[in-house]
């Protein structure tokens, strides 16, 4: 028996390239649409359902802030921080100009990207194995809680997953017929992936291993044109990578500890139950397919394993080991999990014609969907677990605060200014009394606070304090000592309300004696 079904064999074929077990069949556009549409609709439906219900979190507020800046202010911001996300911010800028800045509008591009990615996963599964694997893989991917979670997020991760999947699909097309045109299309796919998130280019390690294995068998020099596509992608991403290295301090908080490493599967799949099912199915499929269908298995294993291993080993230099950065490996694991049905059919020596769609792979789909409930609920939890509930806090402040009231921020996560700017963007109610230079003037996400708080605060009678300190800590923790001393001397502090990960206090001006 030959290797797994990928594509209609090329003319002339590349020796060693995986071929179909049966005679090749023409694939119509209608057939491809019928394969891709169910996963795309499922992913889009799950992402769109309640897309605006969950309150935003810090990174999404950053996306909104950057996307609403003028080009001049955005360039100033990117010169100091987040240069690697510049293409996404530019796209979001035009999107907001057309469709507004509601939570639904900001997140809709990610939902659309996840729907398109589910379709690409299905098509890739058909090329690697058969139609049934493609359908099962697309549905498994669409049902993952992490796909719903990041399909409802105003960040570039959905696009990163999609462009890596597209680039892998274009790699297979180029290997089928190694023309310059196809390799350049592959390079274009890699460029898109690298522009939305630089870490996605670690997939080149997986592509290189797969290509080396094929070239070692075939000796076809046309496969060396891969270097042209890879060179294009790396060259296009170098300016962003160089600028990002200058701004590496913004990710210095990332840690590689036992919790980060041990919790990686749960975080990239969205729940430990789903992670267990997908990983067990993927490992079983790998064991069953290794001897006769090694090519596709090598590609998918390398895609799933090499990026996190690379980020872990290079962590002392690059600080890139973060689950969100590695979400683009998820399609590899869903494809392997979906291939379990395909592998069982071959392992039991059933003819391919007898099980043309590998429908037994749909059992994996059913199990994943059955255990995804807790993860899907967690994906929609408002606010994001561990993040302050700025939406509810702002609603309380809008109801209670009066004209002339001021506001100050304290705590371990002093990013409330962006959140409050967004949540109260339709109201001009609060004066941030400690601001000396705004974030636009600084060209950063943060402000410069007054060294001497007295003149800045002036005669403000009432100040609201938003604090993200833990309940057992001083609510002014994180404030400069001089600022704390002035506020506690001039004002009386009392607690107003406690919400998830945030507390609201009132500072009332003391009567002069």
């Amino acid at each position: 028996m030959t290797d797994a079904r990928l594509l209609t064999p090329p003319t002339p074929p590349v020796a060693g390239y995986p071929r179909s077990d049966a005679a090749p069949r023409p694939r119509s556009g209608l057939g491809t649409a019928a394969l891709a549409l169910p996963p795309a609709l499922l992913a889009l439906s799950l992402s769109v359902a309640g897309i605006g219900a969950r309150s935003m979190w810090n990174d999404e507020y950053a996306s909104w802030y950057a996307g609403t800046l003028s080009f001049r202010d955005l360039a100033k911001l990117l010169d100091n921080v987040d240069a690697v996300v510049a293409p996404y911010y530019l796209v979001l800028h035009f999107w907001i100009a057309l469709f507004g800045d509601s939570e639904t509008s900001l997140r809709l591009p990610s939902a659309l990207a996840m729907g398109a990615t589910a379709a690409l996963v299905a098509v890739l599964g058909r090329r690697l194995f058969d139609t049934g694997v493609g359908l099962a893989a697309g549905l498994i991917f669409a049902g993952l809680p992490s796909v719903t979670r990041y399909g409802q997020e105003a960040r570039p991760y959905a696009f990163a997953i999609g462009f890596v999947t597209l680039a892998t699909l274009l790699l297979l097309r180029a290997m089928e017929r190694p023309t310059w045109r196809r390799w350049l299309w592959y390079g274009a796919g890699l460029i898109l992936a690298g522009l939305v998130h630089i870490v996605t280019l670690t997939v080149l390690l997986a592509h290189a291993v797969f290509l080396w294995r094929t070239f070692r068998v075939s000796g076809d020099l046309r496969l060396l044109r891969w270097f042209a596509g890879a060179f294009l992608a790396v060259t296009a991403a170098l300016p962003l990578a160089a600028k990002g290295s200058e701004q590496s301090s913004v990710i210095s908080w990332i840690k590689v500890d036992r919790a980060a490493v041990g919790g990686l599967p749960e975080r990239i799949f969205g729940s430990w139950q789903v992670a267990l099912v997908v990983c067990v199915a993927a490992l079983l499929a790998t064991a069953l397919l290794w001897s006769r269908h090694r090519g596709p298995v090598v590609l998918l294993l390398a895609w799933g394993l090499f990026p996190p291993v690379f980020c872990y080993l290079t962590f002392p230099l690059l600080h890139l080991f973060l689950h969100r950065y590695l979400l683009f490996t998820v399609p590899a694991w869903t494809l392997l999990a979906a291939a379990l049905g395909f592998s069982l059919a071959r392992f039991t020596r059933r003819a391919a014609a007898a099980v043309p769609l590998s429908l037994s792979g749909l059992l994996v789909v059913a199990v994943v969907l059955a255990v995804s409930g807790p993860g899907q609920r967690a994906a929609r939890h408002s606010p994001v677990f561990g993040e302050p509930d700025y939406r509810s806090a702002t609603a309380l402040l809008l109801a209670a605060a009066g004209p002339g009231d001021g506001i100050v921020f304290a705590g371990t996560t002093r990013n409330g200014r962006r959140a409050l700017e967004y949540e109260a963007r339709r109201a001009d109610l609060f004066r941030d009394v400690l601001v000396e230079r705004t974030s636009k003037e600084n060209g950063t996400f943060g402000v410069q606070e007054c060294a001497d708080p007295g003149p800045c605060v002036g005669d403000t009678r009432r100040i609201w304090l938003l604090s993200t300190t833990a309940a057992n800590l001083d609510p002014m923790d994180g404030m400069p000592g001089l600022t704390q001393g002035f506020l506690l001397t001039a004002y009386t502090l009392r607690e107003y309300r406690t919400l998830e990960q945030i507390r609201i206090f009132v500072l009332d001006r003391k009567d002069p004696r």
Side-chain angles (χ1 to χ4, degrees):
M1 185 178 291
T2 57
D3 211 339
R5 175 174 295 141
L6 272 172
L7 289 164
T8 301
T11 306
V14 175
Y17 182 77
R19 309 182 76 175
S20 174
D21 288 334
R25 298 177 182 177
R27 287 167 181 165
S28 66
L30 185 61
T32 299
L35 168 66
L37 196 58
L41 289 178
L42 178 60
L44 186 61
S45 298
L46 290 174
S47 295
V48 169
I51 192 170
R54 191 187 74 228
S55 61
M56 299 208 301
W57 69 290
N58 179 54
D59 284 9
E60 290 186 288
Y61 291 125
S63 294
W64 167 78
Y65 173 76
T68 53
L69 292 174
S70 67
F71 290 125
R72 181 178 179 179
D73 289 333
L74 180 58
K76 188 176 181 180
L77 173 73
L78 297 174
D79 191 48
N80 294 308
V81 66
D82 266 6
V84 294
V85 198
Y88 175 75
Y89 288 158
L90 284 170
V91 171
L92 194 61
H93 176 91
F94 291 107
W95 179 270
I96 291 172
L98 290 172
F99 302 106
D101 64 352
S102 68
E103 290 93 339
T104 298
S105 177
L106 292 172
R107 292 165 172 167
L108 189 57
S110 294
L112 295 172
M114 282 303 192
T117 303
L120 288 171
V121 169
V123 175
L124 183 57
R126 182 178 67 179
R127 286 181 178 272
L128 286 171
F129 299 101
D130 68 6
T131 302
V133 173
L135 179 61
L139 292 173
I140 292 172
F141 176 85
L144 294 178
S146 59
V147 169
T148 300
R149 164 74 171 79
Y150 291 98
Q152 295 185 342
E153 178 146 322
R155 295 299 285 174
Y157 305 117
F159 294 93
I161 303 170
F163 286 135
V164 168
T165 306
L166 176 63
T168 305
L169 195 57
L170 292 171
L171 171 67
L172 298 183
R173 293 186 74 251
M175 291 177 66
E176 173 198 28
R177 191 174 300 121
T179 63
W180 278 112
R181 182 178 181 180
R182 291 197 172 196
W183 284 117
L184 291 176
W185 274 114
Y186 164 69
L190 284 175
I191 289 173
L192 291 172
L195 288 178
V196 295
H197 207 283
I198 194 71
V199 181
T200 60
L201 291 184
T202 56
V203 80
L204 281 169
L205 299 170
H207 290 180
V209 168
F210 183 54
L211 192 84
W212 169 80
R213 181 184 181 278
T214 304
F215 176 74
R216 188 185 61 175
V217 175
S218 70
D220 192 320
L221 294 176
R222 293 175 297 169
L223 296 182
L224 297 181
R225 295 172 183 175
W226 172 82
F227 287 101
F231 177 79
L232 279 176
V234 173
T235 302
L238 272 178
L240 290 180
K243 191 64 180 176
S245 67
E246 298 174 8
Q247 304 169 353
S248 59
S249 60
V250 299
I251 56 172
S252 60
W253 57 269
I254 298 175
K255 297 179 180 179
V256 170
D257 51 22
R258 182 176 299 178
V261 176
L264 183 64
E266 177 181 358
R267 291 184 176 185
I268 67 171
F269 290 107
S271 75
W272 69 265
Q273 297 97 330
V274 172
L276 181 64
V277 171
V278 172
C279 290
V280 168
L283 292 175
L284 286 174
T286 297
L288 294 172
L289 291 172
W290 185 256
S291 60
R292 296 186 178 183
H293 306 283
R294 190 169 301 176
V297 173
V298 166
L299 171 62
L300 297 176
L301 278 180
W303 179 0
L305 291 174
F306 280 11
V309 170
F310 174 85
C311 291
Y312 178 82
L313 294 177
T314 60
F315 180 79
L317 295 174
L318 302 178
H319 279 77
L320 295 175
F321 191 86
L322 185 66
H323 68 281
R324 294 192 293 273
Y325 298 172
L326 297 168
L327 288 168
F328 67 89
T329 62
V330 166
W333 297 109
T334 59
L335 285 160
L336 276 174
L340 179 60
F342 178 92
S343 62
L344 289 173
R346 270 80 184 149
F347 185 73
T348 55
R349 299 184 181 279
R350 295 175 182 171
V355 194
L357 298 181
S358 300
L359 289 177
S360 50
L362 295 180
L363 292 175
V364 181
V365 179
V367 175
V368 167
L369 294 178
V371 301
S372 66
Q376 288 289 347
R377 288 190 293 273
R380 291 173 167 79
H381 183 271
S382 183
V384 173
F385 283 111
E387 294 294 324
D389 188 1
Y390 286 117
R391 178 193 280 177
S392 298
T394 305
L396 286 172
L397 290 176
L398 289 173
D405 285 4
I407 191 164
V408 294
F409 301 86
T412 54
T413 307
R414 299 183 67 191
N415 298 309
R417 285 185 171 90
R418 284 196 304 272
L420 193 70
E421 286 175 9
Y422 177 80
E423 300 296 348
R425 64 195 183 283
R426 305 289 183 250
D428 185 17
L429 186 61
F430 305 104
R431 184 172 76 90
D432 198 339
V433 296
L434 294 179
V435 173
E436 186 173 45
R437 282 174 56 88
T438 66
S439 53
K440 287 183 182 179
E441 292 171 328
N442 283 341
T444 65
F445 286 118
V447 304
Q448 179 180 321
E449 293 188 348
C450 303
D452 182 3
C456 293
V457 172
D459 60 355
T460 305
R461 299 298 302 169
R462 183 168 62 175
I463 299 174
W464 297 86
L465 168 64
L466 263 64
S467 175
T468 55
T469 59
N472 60 338
L473 297 179
D474 183 346
M476 290 188 177
D477 187 49
M479 275 187 172
L482 184 61
T483 301
Q484 290 188 44
F486 169 79
L487 291 175
L488 291 175
T489 300
Y491 291 83
T492 300
L493 177 71
R494 60 185 173 88
E495 187 166 357
Y496 180 73
R497 192 69 60 84
T498 297
L499 301 170
E500 191 164 349
Q501 302 295 323
I502 190 168
R503 292 182 291 167
I504 305 173
F505 294 83
V506 181
L507 289 157
D508 293 307
R509 192 90 184 198
K510 295 178 180 177
D511 293 329
R513 299 286 181 178

